[in-house]
Amino acid sequence: MHSLRYPVPSWLHHHHLGGRTILPAVECMRLLAAACGNLHPGRKFNCVLQARFLRLIEVAAGAGELEFFLEVAPEADRELLILWRRLELKGMKRMLRCAELVFVEEAAAERSGLPAQLESVEQSLDAERIYRDLVPFGPAFQSLSGAVWLAGPEAGGEVLAPELADTAGDDGAEIRGRLGSPFPLDGAMHLACVHGQRRVDFVPFPVAVARRRLYQPTRPGRSYQVRARLQRQEADMLVYDLWLTSGNKLYEEVQSLVMRDVSGGRMRPPAWWRSG
């Protein structure tokens, strides 16, 4: 296994769940991208496959950096990158599997296409209220801006990518840069979370991504339009597709974002939102 160091920026503590700072899924992907760049300088990729976020990665209040370990597991013509962390549990140190994914280059990947423009919107909600009542993260992760709209199985809005210092490791900046700013995609996941809270009695958080296709990297200081479409709903799971665009350009799309309850039932949507 390879040791990985993640320098903890102060703004990471704005990403919290139940009073605990949690490393977001978008930063897990960037950390693994940096590790991939260190192992394979010059490797090209434009697609993330089989991403799974297997456990919450808690960040202590005074932590200056986190130590992880990388396992590379060959799978046919590709490599599965597995992120491990050593923690002390019940007086014993254990290695815990935290996340995993595959990076590939797709020479002729087909776009799924953007959803058709909607003729009517059923409801809108201001981003300020979203971050007060539905997705209570701190300012650095309040990337949704203005009014978010909902219409049937879809939701949409605008996200802003703040200009904050980079992280996800000091090395591998070139390959990590292909994933762009982490905040627009994180905001798109907030959009799915808000939409999902109308439909289930838990607060849905991302636990897996089947495919993330990157066309152009998102950049700090810019705004993007985001769309989320519910593809499947089960009692304990929601599955969404996401799109990030600017003007008429598609920047990235996510297929089969799986969202579940990660709070053990402690976090539930407010009654005013579920009742409509």
Side-chain angles (χ1 to χ4, degrees):
M1 288 193 183
H2 307 269
S3 176
L4 303 179
R5 301 282 179 172
Y6 176 83
V8 177
S10 59
W11 50 258
L12 187 71
H13 294 286
H14 293 194
H15 190 269
H16 40 67
L17 176 67
R20 300 178 296 161
T21 297
I22 301 298
L23 190 72
V26 289
E27 277 293 275
C28 284
M29 287 188 270
R30 281 162 48 85
L31 177 59
L32 285 167
C36 181
N38 293 336
L39 289 174
H40 305 290
R43 170 176 286 187
K44 296 180 179 180
F45 72 85
N46 56 13
C47 190
V48 178
L49 298 176
Q50 301 168 220
R52 295 201 301 157
F53 312 105
L54 301 169
R55 64 180 63 250
L56 298 179
I57 301 174
E58 186 172 351
V59 184
E65 70 174 13
L66 303 180
E67 182 181 23
F68 295 95
F69 297 90
L70 176 70
E71 178 187 356
V72 181
E75 289 192 348
D77 60 342
R78 58 187 60 173
E79 293 176 340
L80 178 67
L81 303 182
I82 306 169
L83 191 67
W84 294 82
R85 192 178 183 197
R86 182 184 289 129
L87 292 176
E88 186 169 327
L89 299 174
K90 298 181 180 179
M92 298 179 61
K93 289 188 176 180
R94 296 181 56 193
M95 292 288 284
L96 300 177
R97 192 168 179 154
C98 298
E100 61 187 38
L101 55 72
V102 173
F103 291 116
V104 297
E105 182 175 15
E106 294 185 341
E110 295 184 2
R111 303 185 183 199
S112 62
L114 289 169
Q117 191 68 31
L118 296 179
E119 295 182 0
S120 62
V121 171
E122 297 172 2
Q123 187 173 7
S124 63
L125 185 66
D126 191 78
E128 182 179 352
R129 190 167 192 190
I130 287 173
Y131 289 116
R132 186 178 71 235
D133 298 336
L134 301 175
V135 187
F137 290 157
F141 284 90
Q142 295 180 5
S143 47
L144 288 171
S145 176
V148 164
W149 56 260
L150 292 88
E154 295 191 28
E158 181 181 38
V159 291
L160 301 177
E163 298 190 58
L164 298 173
D166 195 16
T167 182
D170 294 326
D171 300 322
E174 186 274 332
I175 195 168
R176 187 176 69 251
R178 295 180 203 166
L179 272 68
S181 168
F183 297 101
L185 178 57
D186 193 62
M189 293 178 178
H190 300 172
L191 183 68
C193 177
V194 169
H195 184 273
Q197 287 184 56
R198 290 294 301 273
R199 296 168 178 268
V200 292
D201 193 26
F202 60 85
V203 177
F205 279 83
V207 297
V209 167
R211 180 176 180 267
R212 177 186 179 188
R213 182 65 162 87
L214 303 150
Y215 298 103
Q216 304 180 65
T218 54
R219 299 299 186 193
R222 299 185 185 179
S223 63
Y224 301 89
Q225 297 299 312
V226 292
R227 295 276 293 273
R229 174 187 282 172
L230 180 64
Q231 295 293 350
R232 190 167 83 253
Q233 178 177 344
E234 298 178 11
D236 62 347
M237 179 179 71
L238 298 168
V239 181
Y240 284 89
D241 289 346
L242 308 175
W243 296 265
L244 282 80
T245 63
S246 180
N248 59 356
K249 294 182 179 179
L250 179 61
Y251 276 69
E252 62 179 277
E253 59 183 332
V254 170
Q255 294 175 337
S256 297
L257 165 69
V258 180
M259 306 188 78
R260 294 182 182 272
D261 175 25
V262 299
S263 73
R266 293 183 298 273
M267 296 181 64
R268 294 189 172 184
W272 66 265
W273 185 238
R274 287 211 72 200
S275 66

